[in-house]
Amino acid sequence: MSLQTILLVLAQVSATALVAWACGALLLGYLDRRLLAVDEPGLGTPERALLAALAFLAFCCALMVGNIVTGGAVFGAASVVPISALAVVVLAIARHRPLKPRIPKVNAAVIALVLVLGVLFALPVLVSGSGVRAGDPPWHLGWTEQLLAGEPVPTGPAPEFGRNAYPWGFHSILATMVRLVPGTDPLLAHESAHLFLIGLIPLGAACLARLVNRRAGPAAAWLASAVGGFAWISSGVSAFVATPSEARYGADLVVASPNSMYELFPPALPREVALATLAAATVLLALAIRADDRRLLAAAGIGTGIVGLISVPMMFTAAAWSLAVCAFAIKHDRVRAGLIVLGAGAATFGLWAGPVIRDYIRYDGFVNITPQLGMEWNLGVALASWGVLLPLAIGGVVLLVMQPPVVSRPLVACVVASVVLLGLAVARARFDWGLFGNETLLHQGRMWPPLHLLGAAVGGIALVTAYGWLRRRSAVLATGALGLTIVIGGLSPAIAARGLTSILEHHAKGFDYAEDDLMRDGFVRRAAEHLGPRTVVRVEGSDELAFFLFQFSGTKIAQYDDPRLIGNELRIRFSDLAAAWDRKAMGEGFEADYLVRPVPKSSRAGEVILEEGVLEEGVFQGAEWEMVAVDG
């Protein structure tokens, strides 16, 4: 990673943090007044930081709504987002005069955890290049580029018939971060988002634990982010498996493991962003119940809806958690509270879901665009990947049951809801429920991250309780037991970090974005500057190059072949539109505005090259390519 890239990422992180602080200050000023009214001790620094992140996500979604209403002017213009952010910062300062930044008290455990997280999850990217990987990120890159090019919503790479049924929340976040710092792009925003997630997911576990025991925060954060299973016993070498179907050591050392600690490795994905958002919304809901405040309940519902704007499968968990908390953690007016929370969540989620439902009805439903579902583990193998967290989580659930109901019920309700959802996911796989082509909604890979987050939270409560019990008897024994637990739990992520570093250095397993072909001065990026979501490009001889051009410009692709799919290679989600695209692609095809081809030895008949001639020429994968504007 070059110095310029590091500086741009740091600028993006700093700008985002400043705006998040301002958004959080406006929200937290309101929350403090409501909570103090019921003699609540107030919000600590962890809760303030987590809810500030939730407030920033709400700001991004509000910008996206404005972008839709204005036909793409919010993200399409370079000035609207910075001006909006500046207004929020000024308003936050004006409402909190004199501005006295609160310097939190940070103990040694928190400092040590921050250093460990940096070494494990950020350092491999820093020394190796980009942490963005093939899979879903290429689609997110292209969709975000379409927003930045002035599209009201991202539509995808298919000409004429493109309709996007993927939630736009993640793309609004990336677009906001790009617009906050001129000179950055969605690729850099992925790196910045990853840095935030490294902190936010452990922070979410800490805040959930603090709902029951305010001393359990650091322990819960550590269990969520630095404790793996025992695969290191058999691995023998540094290993990180980037494809779960190739797992060699159970569910350990594997991306998308039931131990979601491994998902803190890059790249940032909507699932992880939604997980942090889920934690924030749940903490806000628990505080709203304690305050018995309708407006806070509505705010928690909006947070639940934002989860769905980022990840639909995670929305299922968010709704289940909210419903369970309202049903079991409230003494009176449970129905009213549930209606407020779920109503606000449905209204927020409906900002995206409403148009999608309309298109679902209009275009004869969805088609299945998932070539193959991800790996699903049997229960024993999955829980083994938790390592020392498993007995701590079990002990934490026992301790929760022993706590006063008013304190423990929100967390207990979430645990029960997640266990039920996991059971449904296991049943779906066993009985092969089709779910109308939407099996990912009940895929185990969507159920384990929230359950692991809860396991870390309740495990942190158990760890603090056990440490206190031992310390009252022997300080040496307590310190030794804690140190041994830390070392045993930390061996697996340390091995995985070294394994991922090797993968990044060799640009293997789809981690291609640090290769020379994709540098800013390379042919791909230069050619992409001529393209946009309202142009169509035809690439001869390389579908990979065609899709890279979409990723870096949001352009439409005239022809594309995905060997995993038969028809609908550009993954149009709606049935009628997918069929229409197939008919035209197999018939007269799509007219292109630009042609990208290997450098020809002679001019090609039947093609009129405009006066501009060759627009760009360069190397991709060792071959010479050129880009020309074509008169169709």
Side-chain angles (χ1 to χ4, degrees):
M1 186 174 289
S2 67
L3 178 61
Q4 179 187 9
T5 299
I6 294 173
L7 292 177
L8 287 174
V9 169
L10 290 177
Q12 216 170 52
V13 168
S14 301
T16 301
L18 175 62
V19 178
W21 168 85
C23 294
L26 297 176
L27 171 65
L28 293 166
Y30 174 80
L31 289 180
D32 276 341
R33 292 193 299 271
R34 296 273 168 179
L35 294 174
L36 288 173
V38 292
D39 198 30
E40 187 70 23
L43 298 171
T45 298
E47 290 80 11
R48 290 177 178 274
L50 185 64
L51 294 179
L54 179 62
F56 175 77
L57 298 182
F59 174 71
C60 295
C61 291
L63 289 174
M64 182 63 195
V65 173
N67 192 70
I68 295 172
V69 171
T70 60
V74 172
F75 290 125
S79 59
V80 176
V81 173
I83 290 174
S84 302
L86 180 62
V88 170
V89 172
V90 170
L91 181 61
I93 293 174
R95 290 194 175 185
H96 294 79
R97 288 181 182 172
L99 184 60
K100 295 180 179 179
R102 178 178 298 185
I103 301 176
K105 295 180 180 179
V106 181
N107 59 35
V110 174
I111 295 174
L113 179 61
V114 169
L115 293 176
V116 168
L117 293 179
V119 170
L120 290 179
F121 305 113
L123 189 59
V125 177
L126 183 64
V127 302
S128 307
S130 173
V132 180
R133 186 192 180 204
D136 288 343
W139 293 86
H140 300 313
L141 289 171
W143 283 327
T144 305
E145 288 285 0
Q146 291 181 333
L147 289 182
L148 296 171
E151 293 293 286
V153 294
T155 55
E160 297 185 28
F161 306 107
R163 292 290 191 283
N164 180 23
Y166 198 99
W168 40 248
F170 185 62
H171 314 128
S172 72
I173 298 167
L174 297 180
T176 300
M177 296 171 73
V178 170
R179 286 301 184 209
L180 285 176
V181 181
T184 60
D185 55 38
L187 192 62
L188 291 177
H190 267 81
E191 309 289 5
S192 300
H194 174 237
L195 291 178
F196 279 112
L197 284 176
I198 291 172
L200 285 175
I201 291 178
L203 181 63
C207 291
L208 289 172
R210 283 167 55 87
L211 291 172
V212 177
N213 185 335
R214 293 179 72 88
R215 295 183 297 108
W222 171 69
L223 289 173
S225 57
V227 171
F230 302 115
W232 50 271
I233 296 175
S234 58
S235 66
V237 295
S238 294
F240 182 72
V241 182
T243 304
S245 60
E246 299 175 0
R248 291 167 287 172
Y249 313 108
D252 287 9
L253 307 174
V254 182
V255 68
S257 168
N259 182 332
S260 64
M261 177 271 298
Y262 297 107
E263 293 171 19
L264 290 175
F265 289 109
L269 292 170
R271 176 182 54 212
E272 283 73 56
V273 178
L275 182 63
T277 310
L278 173 63
T282 304
V283 169
L284 184 55
L285 177 58
L287 295 174
I289 290 173
R290 292 182 187 179
D292 192 22
D293 189 286
R294 295 185 182 183
R295 295 183 182 180
L296 290 184
L297 287 172
I302 292 172
T304 299
I306 291 174
V307 174
L309 293 178
I310 298 170
S311 170
V312 175
M314 201 65 74
M315 176 69 178
F316 274 67
T317 297
W321 283 18
S322 297
L323 189 62
V325 170
C326 290
F328 298 109
I330 300 177
K331 291 184 178 180
H332 307 291
D333 294 328
R334 295 173 179 172
V335 174
R336 184 200 69 178
L339 289 175
I340 291 173
V341 174
L342 296 180
T348 304
F349 182 56
L351 295 171
W352 167 81
V356 170
I357 293 173
R358 178 199 63 199
D359 286 343
Y360 180 92
I361 297 171
R362 181 181 178 185
Y363 298 118
D364 195 30
F366 290 147
V367 292
N368 193 347
I369 59 173
T370 303
Q372 182 179 357
L373 288 175
M375 183 75 176
E376 293 187 289
W377 312 91
N378 68 59
L379 188 61
V381 174
L383 291 176
S385 71
W386 286 24
V388 295
L389 170 60
L390 181 59
L392 289 171
I394 294 172
V397 171
V398 173
L399 289 174
L400 277 184
V401 175
M402 298 170 60
Q403 295 288 329
V406 68
V407 174
S408 64
R409 276 183 180 173
L411 216 52
V412 171
C414 292
V415 171
V416 172
S418 278
V419 170
V420 170
L421 286 176
L422 180 62
L424 290 174
V426 172
R428 178 209 56 76
R430 180 168 184 176
F431 297 109
D432 197 25
W433 295 343
L435 300 181
F436 307 101
N438 293 277
E439 292 85 348
T440 55
L441 296 179
L442 276 179
H443 186 271
Q444 285 189 40
R446 305 301 189 269
M447 304 304 159
W448 280 112
L451 195 58
H452 182 265
L453 186 75
L454 288 172
V458 299
I461 296 170
L463 183 60
V464 167
T465 302
Y467 178 78
W469 184 86
L470 284 174
R471 187 173 177 81
R472 288 191 295 271
R473 288 153 179 80
S474 170
V476 174
L477 180 61
T479 302
L482 180 63
L484 183 62
T485 304
I486 291 174
V487 170
I488 292 176
L491 286 172
S492 185
I495 288 172
R498 291 187 61 187
L500 178 63
T501 302
S502 176
I503 291 174
L504 290 172
E505 288 177 339
H506 292 88
H507 308 301
K509 300 296 182 181
F511 289 96
D512 301 325
Y513 291 86
E515 288 188 336
D516 293 339
D517 283 343
L518 300 181
M519 294 296 99
R520 286 180 177 270
D521 59 349
F523 173 73
V524 173
R525 304 288 283 272
R526 287 187 283 108
E529 292 178 0
H530 298 274
L531 305 172
R534 295 171 187 173
T535 62
V536 180
V537 64
R538 181 182 303 276
V539 180
E540 295 182 349
S542 176
D543 292 312
E544 184 178 5
L545 175 55
F547 205 67
F548 273 132
L549 291 174
F550 161 70
Q551 294 171 50
F552 289 107
S553 68
T555 191
K556 306 297 185 181
I557 304 174
Q559 62 183 27
Y560 184 77
D561 179 33
D562 186 335
R564 298 173 298 174
L565 297 172
I566 301 175
N568 194 27
E569 281 88 348
L570 291 178
R571 302 191 188 188
I572 300 171
R573 197 68 172 92
F574 301 102
S575 179
D576 286 348
L577 296 178
W581 185 89
D582 280 340
R583 286 194 298 270
K584 186 158 185 178
M586 291 184 292
E588 71 271 22
F590 298 92
E591 294 184 356
D593 303 297
Y594 296 91
L595 174 66
V596 176
R597 65 188 181 189
V599 173
K601 296 181 179 179
S602 60
S603 60
R604 302 186 179 189
E607 180 177 81
V608 180
I609 300 179
L610 298 181
E611 293 180 1
E612 292 83 355
V614 176
L615 300 176
E616 297 291 347
E617 189 175 64
V619 177
F620 176 75
Q621 293 185 345
E624 291 284 341
W625 295 79
E626 67 179 15
M627 178 184 194
V628 296
V630 178
D631 184 355

